[in-house]
């Protein structure tokens, strides 16, 4: 029953989260049918447990009545014989009746224990699952991270699958901006995810300031890496709390500064509650561009040594993108920045461009150099 309730909840959550897609494709009846199917399975299992209770409860009452009958059957003749008194006989009957309450509670406890056991097994299945990325013994903190990044013959694959990226070798000096460009599935986002150790290289090593990422404490590493990913997630709280999520002690002036830098300040002031505006679940009350600008401000407030921008301007118009790029050009100074963008205007000012193809670096250089080579970058351009 507990397992099926989990399946039922998942089905309902998925339908509610994707309600816009469901409505746009007129699939409400289909989703209701899927829910009803899972609900019927839950009902059948629950009905079976109720039947067990329905069967055993009369048996228990019958057993109690039989016990009283047996006491009277064997005790009454002894009362007539004078072996025992009438008081003793009724005392025995009373003792038997007194057992009813504890026995009932014991039955309930057994049922609750079974339910708790089923829930606990599901919880511990997740809790005991080995972590994909572990903190290595002897890992240490870096107090003043500069942001020099080296990928040394790095390869990565999921499980037993083929390599997503293969034999990556490149060096990024502290403060440089690196643009990653290439066809879909070429490994751009994988590189971004390797830096904060969301993934672990299957071969080779990634170093920051000459130290292998595996020798840096995870919390320390991720405090020094700010990220704005493709899938923007905002919490159901105020705009202010979302911006300062990575720096909870930030001052109001600092929040406003990064909001202005991300070109978010003006639209925030347009709301009635301004920075106290509650954005709703996953930022549902904001547009895609507004969410991305809030996410950029959130990342900038961390003041990280390494900044990761994974297609972070994909949902803004050209004018807004230009304004964001102007602000980012100032804030990216002395900060190593990895940028994934499909608009080549975003890539032109990068210190170095890595052109990826099938998980390998096909070309590298700046915008002008790559155009002169007339290779993959020129073709994309």
């Amino acid at each position: 029953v507990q397992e099926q309730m989990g399946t039922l909840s998942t089905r309902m959550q998925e339908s509610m989260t994707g309600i816009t897609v469901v409505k746009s494709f007129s699939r409400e009846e289909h989703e209701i049918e899927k829910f009803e199917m899972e609900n019927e399975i839950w009902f059948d299992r629950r009905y079976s447990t109720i039947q067990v209770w329905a069967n055993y409860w009369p048996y228990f009452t019958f057993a109690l009545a039989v016990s009283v009958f047996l006491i009277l059957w064997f005790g009454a003749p002894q009362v007539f014989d004078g072996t025992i008194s009438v008081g003793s006989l009724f005392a025995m009957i009373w003792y038997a009746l007194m057992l009813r309450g504890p026995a009932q509670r014991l039955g309930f406890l057994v049922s609750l224990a079974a339910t708790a056991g089923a829930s606990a097994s599901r919880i511990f299945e997740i809790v005991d699952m080995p972590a994909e990325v572990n903190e290595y013994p002897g890992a240490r903190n870096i107090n003043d991270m500069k942001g020099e990044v080296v990928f040394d013959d790095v390869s990565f694959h999921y499980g037993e699958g083929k390599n997503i990226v293969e034999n990556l070798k490149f060096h990024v000096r502290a403060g440089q901006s690196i643009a990653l460009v290439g066809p879909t599935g070429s490994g751009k986002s994988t590189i971004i995810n390797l830096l904060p150790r969301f993934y672990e290289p299957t071969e080779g090593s990634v170093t920051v300031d000459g130290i292998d990422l595996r020798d840096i404490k995870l919390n320390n590493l991720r405090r020094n890496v700010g990220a704005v990913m493709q899938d923007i997630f905002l919490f159901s709280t105020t705009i202010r709390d979302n911006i300062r999520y990575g720096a909870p002690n930030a001052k109001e002036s600092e929040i406003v500064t990064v909001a202005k830098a991300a070109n978010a300040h003006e639209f925030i002031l347009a709301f009635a509650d301004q920075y106290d505006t509650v954005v709703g679940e996953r930022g549902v009350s904001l547009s895609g561009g507004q969410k991305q600008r809030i996410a950029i401000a959130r990342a900038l407030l961390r003041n990280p040594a390494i900044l990761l921008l994974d297609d972070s301007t994909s949902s803004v118009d050209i004018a807004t993108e230009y304004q964001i790029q102007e602000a980012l050009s100032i804030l990216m100074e002395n900060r190593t920045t990895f940028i994934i963008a499909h608009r080549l205007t975003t890539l032109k000012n990068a210190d170095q461009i890595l052109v990826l193809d099938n998980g390998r670096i096909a070309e590298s250089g700046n915008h002008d150099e790559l155009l002169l080579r007339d290779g993959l970058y020129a073709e994309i351009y």
Side-chain angles (χ1 to χ4, degrees), residues 157-171:
H157 58 76
Y158 299 102
E160 301 299 325
K162 70 175 185 177
N163 284 336
I164 307 298
V165 293
E166 193 167 5
N167 305 124
L168 295 180
K169 285 186 179 182
F170 61 88
H171 178 205

Side-chain angles (χ1 to χ4, degrees), residues 3-220:
E3 288 174 358
Q4 185 59 25
M5 178 57 74
T7 303
L8 189 64
S9 300
T10 302
R11 178 72 67 196
M12 183 171 63
Q13 182 190 16
E14 188 179 61
S15 298
M16 293 296 104
T17 305
I19 190 67
T20 304
V21 178
V22 173
K23 285 184 175 181
S24 63
F25 284 90
S26 300
R27 297 285 283 173
E28 292 91 341
E29 290 186 7
H30 171 71
E31 292 300 322
I32 290 171
E33 286 174 4
K34 287 199 301 182
F35 179 83
E36 286 183 347
M37 183 177 67
E38 299 294 348
N39 200 24
E40 283 294 331
I41 296 173
W42 177 85
F43 175 82
D44 291 340
R45 295 183 181 182
R46 182 63 179 163
Y47 184 70
S48 297
T49 62
I50 292 171
Q51 279 188 315
V52 172
W53 274 102
N55 291 331
Y56 276 95
W57 196 258
Y59 293 157
F60 175 77
T61 305
F62 178 72
L64 184 67
V66 168
S67 66
V68 174
F69 171 76
L70 291 174
I71 291 172
L72 288 171
W73 181 265
F74 291 103
Q78 296 183 44
V79 170
F80 294 139
D81 295 343
T83 307
I84 61 172
S85 65
V86 174
S88 297
L89 178 64
F90 277 96
M92 290 299 297
I93 294 173
W94 183 247
Y95 292 149
L97 295 175
M98 285 177 63
L99 283 173
R100 177 177 183 171
Q104 285 178 336
R105 286 193 292 272
L106 182 62
F108 281 118
L109 287 173
V110 170
S111 176
L112 289 173
T115 304
S119 301
S121 65
R122 289 170 57 78
I123 292 170
F124 286 113
E125 181 181 347
I126 296 171
V127 171
D128 296 337
M129 188 177 293
E132 292 182 1
V133 176
N134 296 299
E135 191 160 281
Y136 284 65
R140 55 195 175 92
N141 291 323
I142 299 180
N143 296 322
D144 187 18
M145 186 178 287
K146 305 297 182 187
E148 182 182 12
V149 177
V150 176
F151 274 60
D152 186 12
D153 206 21
V154 171
S155 297
F156 171 79
H157 58 76
Y158 299 102
E160 301 299 325
K162 70 175 185 177
N163 284 336
I164 307 298
V165 293
E166 193 167 5
N167 305 124
L168 295 180
K169 285 186 179 182
F170 61 88
H171 178 205
V172 182
R173 294 193 300 274
Q176 277 192 322
S177 58
I178 305 300
L180 304 174
V181 64
T184 301
S186 57
K188 302 184 296 295
S189 294
T190 300
I191 293 175
I192 293 289
N193 284 307
L194 286 168
L195 283 163
R197 282 191 70 200
F198 294 150
Y199 303 153
E200 197 85 281
T202 48
E203 294 177 24
S205 64
V206 182
T207 63
V208 173
D209 296 349
I211 303 171
D212 194 306
L213 294 185
R214 288 167 287 201
D215 295 326
I216 305 173
K217 288 190 174 181
L218 274 173
N219 284 339
N220 179 246

Side-chain angles (χ1 to χ4, degrees), residues 2 23 38 95 125 204 238 241 245 267 280 285 301 315 324 356:
Q2 292 296 101
K23 285 184 175 181
E38 299 294 348
Y95 292 149
E125 181 181 347
T238 64
D241 288 340
Y245 183 75
F267 81 75
S285 63
L301 190 60
S315 295
I324 291 175
L356 297 166

Side-chain angles (χ1 to χ4, degrees), residues 234 239 267 271 277 279 282-291 294:
L234 297 182
I239 291 175
F267 81 75
F271 292 121
T277 301
V279 300
R282 299 180 66 90
V284 68
S285 63
L286 301 178
S287 69
Q290 289 172 336
K291 287 194 289 186
I294 295 294

Side-chain angles (χ1 to χ4, degrees), residues 236-247:
S236 182
T237 181
T238 64
I239 291 175
R240 177 185 290 103
D241 288 340
N242 271 290
I243 292 176
R244 69 180 180 188
Y245 183 75

